[in-house]
Amino acid sequence: MKTWSWKTWRWSLPSVAIVAASLAAFCAGGHFAAKALIQSQQMRQLGELTDVVLRRSEVAVDSGSASMDEIVKAGNIDCEPAALQAFRLRVYQRPGVKDVRLANSDGSVICSAYSETLEFDKGWVGRSDMLPSRDSSLLLFRVEQFGADALGVMRDRGDSRSLVAILGINSYLFDIMPAELRAHSTVTLKLTNGQALGEFSLDEIAVVHPIDFVRSSARYPLLAMISVDRAALARWNGQLYWPAMLLAALLGLVFGLVLIRTRRVEGPLAELDRALVREQFKPYYQPTFHLKSGAILGCEVLARWIRDDGSVVPPMNFIPLAESTGRIRPMTWQILNQALKDLNALLRERKEFKLSVNIVPSHLLDADFVPTLRRVVASAKVATRQIVLEITERDKLDDIARAAEVVRELRDLGFRVAIDDVGVGHSGLSQLKVLGATTMKIDKFFVDTITRDGSTTSIVEMLVRLAKDLAMTVIAEGIETADQVQALCSCGVEEGQGYLVSPPLPIAKFAELVEVQQAKSDIRAALDAAMVA
Ligand code: C2E
Ligand code: CA
Ligand code: CA
C-alpha cells in the first residue's frame, strides 16, 4: 500500500477546507483563551496592587499605634511640658505621625504635642463615631487638618486618659499604578464607613467606565479601592494577545495538516473501499500466444490500481488484503465487467479468442459465484467458452470436493477453468485430476530454469504428458526469451504468456497490439493466397 510522505502531499478542496476550519477553530479558541488569560492576569495583578495599598495603610496605622505604645511605656501621660516633649519626640521619629494628643475617654482632646494646631482641626468626632479595629483598644476616625485628610488613631487605655496619633495620609503612598494605567485610574483609601482618607489620581485622569477592585483590611476598618477605566484595562498587557493568537494559528495549522494526514493514511482498507467506489481497479491485458507462430490466442486480465495521481499499483500490493477482507468479490466483478466491455467487439468477432480472469478459491466457492458469472457474461453477450477462470494452485483448496463440483458446473455451462501456477502450489498433481480443469498454467519458475536445468525439462515434459492425459491445454507463464520458447516447444508446450511478446497492457495499447498482429496475419494470409495462385 502506498505510504504517505511530504513528497506525495497534494492539496485538494476538502484538504484546504479542513485546514481552514482547523485554523478558524483554533484562532477562535485562541482569541477567547488569550482574552481570558489576559483578564485573569489583570485581575490578579490589580488585586495585588490593591493589597499593596492596604498593606501600606496598615503599616502607617501600625506606626501611629507603635508611637503611642512607646509613650505609654515611658509612663508620663499628662499634659506637662516633659510629657508633651516626649510626644513631639515620637512625632519627630515617625514621619507618618503628624501629632500625638491626650484625649478624654469620650474622644475630646485635652492637649496636643502642637497645641497651636488644634484650632485647624475640622470634623473631630466623638468616641462613639470612631471605628473599632480587630484590636478593640484601637479606634480609627477621619479628621481634616489644614484642609487635608488625616487619619486619627486612638489608643483606648481603659481609663480616663486616651492617646491619639494623627497620621497624615500622603496620597503618594498610593502612586503604585503601572505606567499604562496611571492616567486612567484612581487609588483610594477609605474608612469602612465610606469616609475617604486619601486618593491618588493624575490631574488629567480619564476613568470613563470604571472597573473597581476593593480589598478590606482584616485588622483595621480600612478599605483600599482601585478604579480603572475599562478601555485602558483592555489595552493593558495586550502584548500577550498576538503571540497567543500566533500560537493558536500555528496549532490550528498543524492540527489541520495532521487531520489531512490521518485522513490520507486512514488505513489501507478504507483506501481500498474508496478506490472500489471510485472504480480505480482497472484491467490490464497480457496476451497468451501460440509458441510456434506467435499468434495471439487470448489474454489474461491482470488487475491494476490506478490512483488519483495516475500511479499504477501492482496487484500484489492490494490483492492479498482484498482477499482477506472479502473486497476481492466486488473487485473481481468490477474488473471482469470492465474487461468484457473493453474487449466486447474483439470477443464477439474472434470466437476463438480467450479471456482469462483470476478467481480466488474462496470466491469460487461462494454460492452465488456461478449464477453471477453467468449473468455478467450473458449480459455482455459473450460466449461462455471464451471465458477462462484461473484458480491458483498456490493456496490450498480447503474443500476440494466442492471445488470440483463448481468446476464441473462451470464446464457444463461452457466456461473453461485453468489451474494457475502449477508446480509451485501446495496441492499435489492428484488435485489437478480431481478438479477437472481444462487448462494448466505452468509457473514461471519452470520457464525461468528450463534452459539451465535438466530436471526442469523432465518436470515440464511430465506435466505436458499429464495434461494430454487429462485433455488439458498447457500454457507456460513468464516467457522472456526465445530460448525459453524453444525449450518449451521441445517439451511439447504449445501456448505461452510472457514479456517476450508483451507485458500486461492497458486496453488502448493491448487493442493496438492485437490490431498490428491481425494486420500482419492478414498480410501473410494474402501472400500465402498469392503464392498458391
Ligand atoms: P498470475 O495470475 O500468475 O499472473 C502472472 C503474473 O506474472 C503477472 O503479474 C504478470 O505481469 C507476470 N508476468 C507475466 N509474464 C511475465 C514475464 O515474462 N516476466 C515477469 N517477470 N513477469 C511476468 P502481476 O500482474 O503482477 O500479477 C501478480 C498476481 O496477482 C497474479 O499472478 C495473480 O495471482 C494476482 N492477480 C492479478 N490480477 C488479479 C485479479 O484480477 N484477481 C485476482 N484474484 N488475482 C489477481
Ligand atoms: Ca493467473
Ligand atoms: Ca500464474
Side-chain angles (χ1 to χ4, degrees):
M1 205 70 36
K2 197 169 167 184
T3 50
W4 186 94
S5 85
W6 285 103
K7 279 187 189 155
T8 60
W9 189 268
R10 290 178 301 280
W11 287 98
S12 61
L13 207 60
S15 305
V16 172
I18 286 172
V19 174
S22 169
L23 257 179
F26 272 77
C27 284
H31 168 78
F32 290 115
K35 285 274 176 199
L37 186 73
I38 290 169
Q39 205 175 7
S40 84
Q41 222 179 28
Q42 289 175 341
M43 296 300 140
R44 187 177 50 76
Q45 281 175 286
L46 284 165
E48 283 171 8
L49 286 171
T50 318
D51 276 339
V52 168
V53 174
L54 209 56
R55 291 291 97 76
R56 287 186 181 182
S57 311
E58 286 175 345
V59 166
V61 176
D62 289 344
S63 167
S65 155
S67 61
M68 290 187 290
D69 290 346
E70 284 160 9
I71 292 168
V72 170
K73 227 188 232 165
N76 42 353
I77 305 167
D78 50 37
C79 293
E80 296 305 311
L84 293 181
Q85 194 180 13
F87 288 5
R88 284 197 290 274
L89 182 64
R90 299 301 159 203
V91 171
Y92 179 74
Q93 283 175 335
R94 306 246 175 203
V97 181
K98 298 291 170 213
D99 195 359
V100 175
R101 295 173 183 182
L102 193 63
N104 294 306
S105 57
D106 65 356
S108 58
V109 178
I110 303 168
C111 62
S112 159
Y114 304 99
S115 46
E116 58 278 15
T117 61
L118 287 175
E119 61 187 279
F120 298 106
D121 285 353
K122 270 190 195 160
W124 188 272
V125 296
R127 188 203 152 96
S128 57
D129 290 324
M130 294 178 183
L131 302 170
S133 306
R134 190 170 64 190
D135 171 357
S136 56
S137 69
L138 268 186
L139 299 148
L140 267 59
F141 60 98
R142 175 181 169 275
V143 64
E144 198 185 311
Q145 277 203 320
F146 305 107
D149 294 321
L151 175 62
V153 181
M154 185 164 103
R155 168 66 84 193
D156 191 350
R157 298 179 50 246
D159 58 16
S160 56
R161 298 287 165 90
S162 296
L163 282 172
V164 176
I166 307 290
L167 308 176
I169 303 295
N170 183 347
S171 63
Y172 287 95
L173 212 61
F174 312 135
D175 184 8
I176 55 163
M177 294 306 281
E180 301 93 319
L181 296 180
R182 213 159 160 255
H184 305 278
S185 59
T186 56
V187 182
T188 318
L189 181 70
K190 288 178 182 178
L191 283 171
T192 48
N193 63 8
Q195 286 180 312
L197 296 172
E199 181 180 288
F200 178 85
S201 63
L202 296 183
D203 293 342
E204 67 278 18
I205 181 106
V207 184
V208 187
H209 301 292
I211 298 182
D212 297 336
F213 297 84
V214 183
R215 287 278 203 280
S216 55
S217 165
R219 294 162 55 211
Y220 303 119
L222 293 172
L223 288 177
M225 185 168 95
I226 294 178
S227 296
V228 191
D229 183 57
R230 194 178 294 271
L233 191 60
R235 290 190 298 271
W236 186 44
N237 275 357
Q239 64 270 30
L240 241 179
Y241 181 81
W242 286 112
M245 286 303 283
L246 188 69
L247 183 69
L250 264 174
L251 285 175
L253 188 70
V254 170
F255 186 74
L257 294 177
V258 168
L259 257 188
I260 300 175
R261 186 182 187 279
T262 46
R263 240 171 62 94
R264 283 183 198 276
V265 291
E266 62 194 337
L269 189 56
E271 268 192 295
L272 204 70
D273 283 337
R274 243 206 331 271
L276 266 172
V277 170
R278 296 184 186 176
E279 302 196 353
Q280 288 184 335
F281 298 104
K282 300 286 181 202
Y284 268 43
Y285 306 93
Q286 186 178 32
T288 51
F289 56 93
H290 193 257
L291 289 188
K292 283 197 174 130
S293 68
I296 293 176
L297 304 171
C299 65
E300 177 176 0
V301 177
L302 292 157
R304 296 290 183 269
W305 177 358
I306 316 293
R307 286 178 165 276
D308 284 334
D309 61 359
S311 58
V312 179
V313 184
M316 277 312 152
N317 289 13
F318 59 86
I319 294 283
L321 179 67
E323 192 177 346
S324 64
T325 57
R327 306 312 197 265
I328 192 73
R329 290 164 175 78
M331 192 182 286
T332 300
W333 297 130
Q334 211 172 79
I335 287 165
L336 179 59
N337 272 310
Q338 187 59 49
L340 286 169
K341 220 183 272 175
D342 286 346
L343 299 179
N344 202 265
L346 181 68
L347 286 164
R348 292 168 72 177
E349 214 173 278
R350 289 176 53 178
K351 294 294 185 192
E352 79 293 353
F353 192 95
K354 303 280 187 292
L355 175 67
S356 294
V357 215
N358 292 285
I359 306 292
V360 297
S362 60
H363 192 191
L364 180 86
L365 300 183
D366 270 3
D368 68 343
F369 175 74
V370 178
T372 311
L373 179 71
R374 270 184 89 176
R375 206 176 49 247
V376 167
V377 175
S379 67
K381 296 192 171 56
V382 170
T384 52
R385 60 183 186 79
Q386 289 181 270
I387 306 298
V388 185
L389 305 158
E390 293 193 10
I391 322 285
T392 183
E393 206 214 33
R394 253 169 227 282
D395 310 319
K396 203 166 170 14
L397 270 173
D398 291 333
D399 189 348
I400 185 103
R402 164 99 183 100
E405 208 177 287
V406 179
V407 170
R408 196 173 322 116
E409 204 183 333
L410 287 166
R411 288 190 61 177
D412 289 348
L413 291 166
F415 291 103
R416 297 177 68 81
V417 179
I419 304 299
D420 204 356
D421 313 316
V422 166
V424 294
H426 294 268
S427 47
L429 297 177
S430 59
Q431 182 171 295
L432 271 178
K433 193 175 170 192
V434 176
L435 270 179
T438 53
T439 308
M440 177 193 292
K441 293 191 83 169
I442 296 179
D443 194 79
K444 182 177 187 308
F445 171 78
F446 298 103
V447 176
D448 282 345
T449 51
I450 198 162
T451 49
R452 296 181 253 128
D453 190 342
S455 63
T456 300
T457 311
S458 314
I459 293 171
V460 173
E461 282 170 349
M462 187 268 291
L463 287 174
V464 170
R465 265 198 313 276
L466 180 70
K468 273 212 175 91
D469 288 350
L470 300 173
M472 291 171 90
T473 305
V474 176
I475 301 178
E477 291 187 299
I479 303 172
E480 292 178 350
T481 66
D483 289 350
Q484 289 169 343
V485 172
Q486 199 95 51
L488 288 163
C489 282
S490 308
C491 293
V493 180
E494 292 183 349
E495 295 183 22
Q497 182 180 341
Y499 290 178
L500 179 66
V501 168
S502 168
L505 297 170
I507 182 58
K509 290 223 168 93
F510 180 71
E512 221 172 273
L513 180 78
V514 173
E515 217 170 282
V516 169
Q517 244 228 4
Q518 185 65 46
K520 273 187 196 160
S521 80
D522 288 351
I523 291 168
R524 201 174 306 128
L527 283 176
D528 288 348
M531 296 272 278
V532 171

